[in-house]
Amino acid sequence: DASLVDGDTYPPNNAVDSNLACQECAKGETPKAFGYAIVSADAAELEYEISGLETGTTYYVRVLAGNEQGYGSVSGVGSATPPLQAPGTPQNVELSVRDGDSSALEISFDAPTTDGGTEIKQYLVQYDVSSSFGSATSAGVAGNMIVRCPNNPILETVTIETSSSGTTVNAGSFQLSLTYNGQTRTVAHGIAFNAPALTSEEVGGDDSVYCYTNPTWCLDSPNVRGSMQSHMNMLTRALGLSEGVDVTRTATATGYVWTVTFLNKVSGLTIAATGTPTLTATSGTVSIGINKLNTGTVYPQCTGTQVINGLAQGQVYFARVIAYNAIGYGPAAAAATSAKPTRVPAPPVDVKLSVLSGTSLKLIWSPADDGGDTITSYLIEIDTTSSFNSADKQSFVHSYLDGGAPFSKSLQNLLNGQVYFVRVAARNSQGYGAFESSSPVSAKPMTTPSSPSNVQLLITSHKSLTVSFDAPAEDGGDAVSFYRVEWDIQPGFTSNHESPFRGEVDLAAAIHRSYTIKNLQTNIATYVRVTARNAVGYGPSQTTTPVSRSPVVRRPGKPSNFAAVAGVAPGSIDITFNAPRIPDHGTPCGGGGPSATASDALCPIGLGGRDQATFGEADGGSDITYYHIEIDLQSDFGSGTNTQVTLVANDSDSFSYSFTGLAAGRLYFVRVAAENVVGIGQFQTYQSVRTNT
């Protein structure tokens, strides 16, 4: 009909046609699930297979014969119902690694294209280390996992048992309460000792039928009537659980066991005996026992991604999935690829950082747990801060692993003396694991220092030489910690002599820039060299200028601690001083470093002259005999009117002298010098003093 728009549109006249497929149909409309086929009459057997039907649905079939004149009358109508089938094959099965978990895998799948005519209740996941699923364990597979669907929950189930320590319970009743979601309800009637399981079993007289209204309206023993199902249904409805319960009852030797299954998909129900039971037995004590068999569990979506737990790290597994309905299990669908439980590797171990040169460091490490997969590379990070977030951070990927552990990496082109922090992480197919910091946590590229500078050799006495030196031009990237002074009577420093002809001493760099070698032989040339050391070690040595000297007696040094002040009396000046502390050459016998004290500069005992209790006087190797004091009106002591006073030296370290009879209020210049057998030493720097008036 040209006026038809679609299959649901009636002809304009709405006429009923006896040739329509159904008398309720209108022209242009096909009934739901209607189909037909034309079969050749020349076929050897007149038969036809109808496919694409829904299992469990009843279909009606009829046959019409046709020739050139049209179709004849309709045959009788037959009917048949395609039987329920096992479900089809699950779709899109994939096995994959579970991120961060090396004891589990993820398997994902979709529902079969057909459920077999009845809903799928659960899926069986089988996994094995063999692709043929032929392992000796667990019936041919390494393991099974049941994935229940939301329509297949575990229902909360409890048992209620009456028993006696003697004969069978034969009379009386008991009461129960039910608690859910913080609310408690108690049965309205007593439950008979032999209450039937189901409401459908409440037959007989009025005393067997549960009374749902006011007990006073019920006939005969209203407190002991009804089945366990009726009692429990009243409690569940009072708590908002509309599905009720299912109950079975089993007789025991001394009582009954009622198994109560709650049909609502809930958990957390609590049944308790309450009140005072009236249960009795001919002999023995009667008791009521309540035990929870199943805790209610409702399951989430059973397709999609599921987790297989309890697997071995790094073991290759194969997996397949089977759907299950009321008929049974369908065919299996295997994942196209295998997988092994893996995670990122654990942090490396034995991570050691060391100095390689003045511009490089060396990192050594070994792998820890590989997370179940082969480690393919390591990421090394180096930075000038421990937070590894500065603009100076550098990263290196180390992928050459053929030599086996321990692995090492030279970190080149670094700044000499700059402190660097280093860490390393391992990588497998899952990515990089956590970093492990080095031990020590930081290091700096460094090398040995260059040789000390300005190394001088000086004669201090007929038994001693003093060597002085300055810091190296390059410290190698680390502060110089020690200086080594070596001496020998041969220039190659290879003689077989013992001390005092040959020797060495290590000096703390913080204290010393000079050292006095004592107990040497007069007039025998001694060669000296000095070497600097830092955390890496000793650098090259530097010989002195001159390369050698021979000890001889020298003039004494300048008197020390010289002071001149105006005396109390007008025209007087008081002078005090001590024996020389620094030799005539002007270099202290020791000390001179940034942390040196005054005592570090004192000369050692045994220089050949006069010794005090804790030091030797810087007297050139000969006892000081006199101290010469000059006073003048001019600072150049050339006025021609200067006065000289000579004091006889002794074993004392402290000396004093007072000038008197000087002009009052005049400015005078005063100085002092020491004398030994060689001669008079240098005057100490003069001091100017104005006398009192």
Side-chain angles (χ1 to χ4, degrees):
D1 191 313
S3 63
L4 291 179
V5 177
D6 57 39
D8 292 327
T9 304
Y10 281 82
N13 57 7
N14 292 326
V16 176
D17 189 336
S18 60
N19 291 321
L20 292 176
C22 59
Q23 294 305 311
E24 295 81 9
C25 298
K27 289 181 179 181
E29 184 176 60
T30 300
K32 180 181 179 183
F34 173 80
Y36 71 93
I38 298 176
V39 180
S40 173
D42 296 333
E45 294 185 15
L46 296 178
E47 62 180 11
Y48 180 75
E49 180 179 303
I50 305 173
S51 61
L53 304 180
E54 293 184 3
T55 56
T57 299
T58 300
Y59 290 86
Y60 298 90
V61 183
R62 60 187 180 181
V63 181
L64 294 83
N67 59 18
E68 293 180 354
Q69 301 303 312
Y71 285 103
S73 59
V74 177
S75 69
V77 177
S79 66
T81 303
L84 298 176
Q85 305 288 325
T89 304
Q91 302 294 298
N92 305 319
V93 180
E94 294 183 2
L95 187 64
S96 60
V97 173
R98 181 169 174 79
D99 187 32
D101 192 343
S102 60
S103 64
L105 291 173
E106 291 183 351
I107 187 167
S108 62
F109 53 89
D110 295 328
T113 55
T114 175
D115 61 7
T118 180
E119 60 184 359
I120 295 173
K121 296 289 187 180
Q122 62 190 36
Y123 291 89
L124 173 64
V125 176
Q126 295 180 324
Y127 49 94
D128 199 345
V129 298
S130 169
S131 60
S132 63
F133 293 87
S135 295
T137 59
S138 189
V141 292
N144 294 304
M145 180 179 75
I146 298 295
V147 182
R148 297 172 73 107
C149 296
N151 60 4
N152 188 23
I154 294 177
L155 299 176
E156 192 105 349
T157 305
V158 298
T159 60
I160 304 162
E161 180 177 5
T162 58
S163 61
S164 168
S165 61
T167 59
T168 302
V169 178
N170 55 17
S173 64
F174 60 96
Q175 290 186 305
L176 298 174
S177 66
L178 178 63
T179 300
Y180 174 66
N181 202 22
Q183 300 183 57
T184 300
R185 297 291 184 270
T186 303
V187 294
H189 310 300
I191 303 172
F193 75 95
N194 60 349
L198 303 173
T199 302
S200 61
E201 297 174 318
E202 297 176 2
V203 295
D206 290 339
D207 59 348
S208 298
V209 179
Y210 185 84
C211 182
Y212 283 89
T213 58
N214 192 315
T216 60
W217 297 350
C218 301
L219 303 175
D220 301 330
S221 304
N223 291 327
V224 292
R225 62 175 65 243
S227 63
M228 180 65 75
Q229 185 179 42
S230 293
H231 287 281
M232 298 309 298
N233 279 344
M234 286 299 294
L235 294 180
T236 57
R237 288 167 186 156
L239 293 172
L241 304 175
S242 60
E243 299 297 325
V245 300
D246 190 16
V247 182
T248 61
R249 188 189 74 174
T250 303
T252 66
T254 60
Y256 293 97
V257 176
W258 292 267
T259 301
V260 180
T261 301
F262 295 87
L263 302 181
N264 283 85
K265 299 175 183 178
V266 296
S267 61
L269 296 168
T270 302
I271 293 181
T274 187
T276 302
T278 61
L279 298 174
T280 59
T282 302
S283 64
T285 302
V286 176
S287 61
I288 303 171
I290 298 173
N291 180 48
K292 180 173 286 190
L293 295 183
N294 295 322
T295 298
T297 305
V298 178
Y299 293 90
Q301 180 68 30
C302 53
T303 55
T305 300
Q306 308 295 329
V307 179
I308 307 173
N309 291 303
L311 305 180
Q313 176 179 289
Q315 172 65 58
V316 175
Y317 288 92
F318 301 85
R320 60 188 181 187
V321 184
I322 307 170
Y324 175 87
N325 64 10
I327 301 303
Y329 285 104
T337 59
S338 60
K340 55 184 178 181
T342 55
R343 55 168 174 75
V344 295
V349 297
D350 299 327
V351 183
K352 297 180 175 62
L353 184 64
S354 60
V355 176
L356 191 60
S357 74
T359 58
S360 61
L361 299 174
K362 185 176 184 179
L363 186 69
I364 299 176
W365 71 94
S366 294
D369 185 352
D370 63 8
D373 194 26
T374 302
I375 294 174
T376 56
S377 63
Y378 291 88
L379 177 63
I380 300 169
E381 290 188 344
I382 178 170
D383 200 352
T384 55
T385 65
S386 60
S387 57
F388 292 88
N389 60 359
S390 80
D392 298 323
K393 186 177 78 170
Q394 302 177 57
S395 298
F396 307 93
V397 175
H398 182 84
S399 56
Y400 179 75
L401 310 178
D402 292 345
F407 305 108
S408 65
K409 174 69 175 178
S410 297
L411 308 172
Q412 305 286 345
N413 302 318
L414 305 179
L415 295 177
N416 179 258
Q418 171 65 56
V419 174
Y420 290 94
F421 298 85
V422 183
R423 62 185 184 181
V424 59
R427 185 183 190 279
N428 62 13
S429 61
Q430 300 305 298
Y432 283 107
F435 281 98
E436 180 66 23
S437 295
S438 64
S439 177
V441 295
S442 65
K444 54 185 177 182
M446 52 186 176
T447 187
T448 57
S450 61
S451 58
S453 61
N454 193 29
V455 181
Q456 302 292 320
L457 186 59
L458 308 165
I459 300 174
T460 301
S461 75
H462 64 293
K463 288 186 177 182
S464 62
L465 298 175
T466 297
V467 59
S468 66
F469 47 87
D470 291 329
E474 299 290 341
D475 64 6
D478 186 58
V480 173
S481 53
F482 287 93
Y483 291 98
R484 174 170 290 174
V485 175
E486 299 174 273
W487 63 93
D488 199 338
I489 61 175
Q490 291 185 1
F493 296 87
T494 58
S495 77
N496 294 322
H497 292 290
E498 297 180 353
S499 178
F501 300 103
R502 183 184 180 197
E504 66 179 32
V505 63
D506 289 335
L507 307 172
I511 296 176
H512 293 285
R513 290 295 184 273
S514 62
Y515 178 73
T516 297
I517 308 166
K518 64 180 185 177
N519 298 324
L520 300 177
Q521 293 295 310
T522 303
N523 295 322
I524 294 181
T526 299
Y527 298 85
V528 181
R529 63 185 181 184
V530 184
T531 310
R533 189 185 94 182
N534 61 12
V536 179
Y538 282 102
S541 61
Q542 178 61 55
T543 55
T544 61
T545 299
V547 294
S548 68
R549 282 191 185 273
S550 301
V552 294
V553 177
R554 303 289 290 180
R555 294 186 307 172
K558 300 175 183 179
S560 62
N561 303 317
F562 171 52
V565 297
V568 175
S572 65
I573 294 177
D574 297 330
I575 298 170
T576 60
F577 58 90
N578 297 107
R581 300 294 198 263
I582 298 175
D584 181 58
H585 50 61
T587 297
C589 287
S595 300
T597 64
S599 62
D600 294 320
L602 295 175
C603 292
I605 293 173
L607 298 186
R610 180 180 286 117
D611 290 328
Q612 297 295 330
T614 59
F615 65 94
E617 293 183 6
D619 54 15
S622 174
D623 290 354
I624 295 172
T625 54
Y626 301 103
Y627 288 100
H628 300 280
I629 306 171
E630 284 188 341
I631 186 169
D632 201 334
L633 294 174
Q634 295 181 189
S635 62
D636 62 358
F637 294 85
S639 69
T641 60
N642 65 322
T643 301
Q644 289 192 0
V645 176
T646 300
L647 298 182
V648 177
N650 54 40
D651 291 338
S652 173
D653 179 40
S654 299
F655 299 90
S656 63
Y657 182 80
S658 295
F659 286 99
T660 60
L662 302 175
R666 290 294 301 271
L667 180 65
Y668 288 88
F669 298 90
V670 185
R671 62 184 181 179
V672 61
E675 180 183 357
N676 65 6
V677 295
V678 176
I680 299 174
Q682 300 178 66
F683 279 99
Q684 182 60 272
T685 303
Y686 68 80
Q687 293 197 13
S688 60
V689 183
R690 187 177 297 277
T691 59
N692 291 323
T693 57

